[in-house]
Amino acid sequence: MLDNSVLAGEILRHGAYVCVRIAEGAGARAVAGVAIPALAEKLGLVNEFEPAGGPPAQSIAFLRRHGATQSAIADDGVAHADAVVHVAAPTAQPVSDFCAEAARLLGSMARLRVVGGVVRPRTYTGAAMNNFAYAHQIVQQPGRLMPNAFLLPMSKTAAWWAKDWMERHTYFLPRYDDDGRMKSEGHALASAAGISCLLRRTYKSTTEPAPEGAYDFVTYFECADADVPMFHQVCTSLRDVAKNPEWKFVREGPTWHGRRVATWPDLFTGRPR
């Protein structure tokens, strides 16, 4: 069968990035004093800044703005966020409760834009691809070692979703001509240079394609200062449609660059204007 009924439907994890933009006239000090830490403790969310053997089952992370670049999908809520808070859990309730209560606590002091989704079992990953990529991927490190955070939401075009899953699969692998010469690298090879130094996390929409105003995929990366050029190199490689024809079907939202910090108040100190 070529329809999507053969693909995994199980949800392993729920996550959201709460993009916080301080409202005009609201003070950073007042926003820093909002009881977000108490809310996180009440919901059992454990800070990712000092991970012990990987991210906690129910986690929270604080990302302070460093800069942002707009792209094909204009999204001021992401691009102009002063801070981003990541929350994740195996079930939806802690994530939705945090988002709702954070909005209530912040009230008129901030505008919130929430993007996120779910983690499902890998779709196109067999044993060989697992050994090529995921077996060697870097795990989450303390914030002081990998302080950079990049949030990059995106969607695929209608033409992509019109393809059956087998055809979509072909875009992730290299393509060869009849004489065995590689014509394009595909997603896997175009991004291979970042496997050993870029932590990647992806949330997918609960439906494919995503509803209006939502993203099909919300991707996130962490890396050390020395590896920021590698992040941009991998992005450039993926965007090269001669190398990676898949990107003909991609529309990106803003790339938001933040710095991981240890606490909620840290988000609002030394903010770039």
Side-chain angles (χ1 to χ4, degrees), residues 43-44 54 59 70 72 75 77 130 173 190 200 250-251 262:
L43 294 175
S59 65
Q70 289 275 21
D75 190 335
N130 182 76
L173 299 173
R200 178 175 66 86
V250 171
R251 297 181 68 239

mmCIF file of all heavy atoms in Angstrom, residues 43-44 54 59 70 72 75 77 130 173 190 200 250-251 262:
data_model
loop_
_atom_site.group_PDB
_atom_site.id
_atom_site.type_symbol
_atom_site.label_atom_id
_atom_site.label_comp_id
_atom_site.label_asym_id
_atom_site.label_seq_id
_atom_site.Cartn_x
_atom_site.Cartn_y
_atom_site.Cartn_z
ATOM 1 N N LEU A 43 4.449 21.408 38.108
ATOM 2 C CA LEU A 43 4.150 20.458 37.032
ATOM 3 C C LEU A 43 5.193 19.352 36.919
ATOM 4 O O LEU A 43 5.068 18.475 36.064
ATOM 5 C CB LEU A 43 4.045 21.213 35.699
ATOM 6 C CG LEU A 43 2.877 22.202 35.584
ATOM 7 C CD1 LEU A 43 2.960 22.974 34.276
ATOM 8 C CD2 LEU A 43 1.540 21.476 35.687
ATOM 9 N N GLY A 44 6.227 19.405 37.749
ATOM 10 C CA GLY A 44 7.255 18.367 37.708
ATOM 11 C C GLY A 44 8.195 18.476 36.537
ATOM 12 O O GLY A 44 8.761 17.466 36.086
ATOM 13 N N GLY A 54 20.966 12.617 29.537
ATOM 14 C CA GLY A 54 19.917 12.908 28.568
ATOM 15 C C GLY A 54 18.867 13.812 29.166
ATOM 16 O O GLY A 54 18.862 14.074 30.378
ATOM 17 N N SER A 59 10.527 18.002 31.010
ATOM 18 C CA SER A 59 11.638 18.954 31.010
ATOM 19 C C SER A 59 11.195 20.368 30.694
ATOM 20 O O SER A 59 10.134 20.611 30.115
ATOM 21 C CB SER A 59 12.703 18.509 30.005
ATOM 22 O OG SER A 59 12.194 18.543 28.686
ATOM 23 N N GLN A 70 14.430 36.274 9.397
ATOM 24 C CA GLN A 70 13.162 35.896 8.779
ATOM 25 C C GLN A 70 13.416 35.065 7.531
ATOM 26 O O GLN A 70 14.504 35.111 6.932
ATOM 27 C CB GLN A 70 12.363 37.153 8.411
ATOM 28 C CG GLN A 70 11.808 37.911 9.599
ATOM 29 C CD GLN A 70 10.473 37.374 10.091
ATOM 30 O OE1 GLN A 70 10.113 36.232 9.837
ATOM 31 N NE2 GLN A 70 9.720 38.210 10.800
ATOM 32 N N ALA A 72 10.884 32.501 4.400
ATOM 33 C CA ALA A 72 9.725 32.519 3.498
ATOM 34 C C ALA A 72 8.409 32.691 4.247
ATOM 35 O O ALA A 72 7.491 33.353 3.767
ATOM 36 C CB ALA A 72 9.703 31.237 2.672
ATOM 37 N N ASP A 75 6.847 35.257 10.494
ATOM 38 C CA ASP A 75 6.274 34.884 11.789
ATOM 39 C C ASP A 75 6.929 35.759 12.858
ATOM 40 O O ASP A 75 7.946 35.403 13.434
ATOM 41 C CB ASP A 75 6.536 33.398 12.063
ATOM 42 C CG ASP A 75 5.761 32.873 13.273
ATOM 43 O OD1 ASP A 75 5.429 33.680 14.158
ATOM 44 O OD2 ASP A 75 5.512 31.652 13.338
ATOM 45 N N GLY A 77 5.962 36.422 15.796
ATOM 46 C CA GLY A 77 5.912 35.849 17.128
ATOM 47 C C GLY A 77 7.143 35.047 17.462
ATOM 48 O O GLY A 77 7.583 35.005 18.614
ATOM 49 N N ASN A 130 20.180 4.072 10.837
ATOM 50 C CA ASN A 130 20.382 4.284 12.262
ATOM 51 C C ASN A 130 21.873 4.252 12.600
ATOM 52 O O ASN A 130 22.377 5.104 13.336
ATOM 53 C CB ASN A 130 19.648 3.222 13.074
ATOM 54 C CG ASN A 130 19.802 3.446 14.565
ATOM 55 O OD1 ASN A 130 19.175 4.325 15.145
ATOM 56 N ND2 ASN A 130 20.651 2.648 15.207
ATOM 57 N N LEU A 173 17.717 10.054 0.476
ATOM 58 C CA LEU A 173 18.896 9.283 0.108
ATOM 59 C C LEU A 173 19.539 9.862 -1.155
ATOM 60 O O LEU A 173 18.879 10.586 -1.916
ATOM 61 C CB LEU A 173 18.510 7.827 -0.137
ATOM 62 C CG LEU A 173 17.910 7.091 1.065
ATOM 63 C CD1 LEU A 173 17.421 5.715 0.637
ATOM 64 C CD2 LEU A 173 18.913 6.991 2.201
ATOM 65 N N ALA A 190 23.610 15.496 2.769
ATOM 66 C CA ALA A 190 23.726 16.955 2.828
ATOM 67 C C ALA A 190 23.889 17.449 4.269
ATOM 68 O O ALA A 190 24.499 18.491 4.512
ATOM 69 C CB ALA A 190 22.508 17.611 2.188
ATOM 70 N N ARG A 200 20.029 17.609 17.520
ATOM 71 C CA ARG A 200 18.812 17.962 16.772
ATOM 72 C C ARG A 200 17.604 17.338 17.441
ATOM 73 O O ARG A 200 17.635 16.192 17.869
ATOM 74 C CB ARG A 200 18.898 17.468 15.324
ATOM 75 C CG ARG A 200 17.632 17.774 14.504
ATOM 76 C CD ARG A 200 17.818 17.382 13.055
ATOM 77 N NE ARG A 200 17.972 15.954 12.872
ATOM 78 C CZ ARG A 200 16.969 15.087 12.735
ATOM 79 N NH1 ARG A 200 15.719 15.502 12.800
ATOM 80 N NH2 ARG A 200 17.211 13.805 12.553
ATOM 81 N N VAL A 250 10.181 22.789 0.627
ATOM 82 C CA VAL A 250 10.253 23.292 1.992
ATOM 83 C C VAL A 250 10.034 24.800 2.015
ATOM 84 O O VAL A 250 10.582 25.531 1.183
ATOM 85 C CB VAL A 250 11.628 22.962 2.625
ATOM 86 C CG1 VAL A 250 11.789 23.671 3.972
ATOM 87 C CG2 VAL A 250 11.789 21.459 2.803
ATOM 88 N N ARG A 251 9.232 25.258 2.961
ATOM 89 C CA ARG A 251 9.095 26.688 3.252
ATOM 90 C C ARG A 251 9.448 26.890 4.720
ATOM 91 O O ARG A 251 8.808 26.331 5.607
ATOM 92 C CB ARG A 251 7.676 27.182 2.964
ATOM 93 C CG ARG A 251 7.271 27.063 1.492
ATOM 94 C CD ARG A 251 5.874 27.593 1.256
ATOM 95 N NE ARG A 251 5.808 29.029 1.452
ATOM 96 C CZ ARG A 251 5.016 29.631 2.337
ATOM 97 N NH1 ARG A 251 4.251 28.915 3.143
ATOM 98 N NH2 ARG A 251 5.008 30.947 2.449
ATOM 99 N N ALA A 262 20.238 29.254 32.735
ATOM 100 C CA ALA A 262 19.869 28.307 33.785
ATOM 101 C C ALA A 262 18.505 28.576 34.406
ATOM 102 O O ALA A 262 17.849 27.646 34.881
ATOM 103 C CB ALA A 262 20.933 28.307 34.878
#
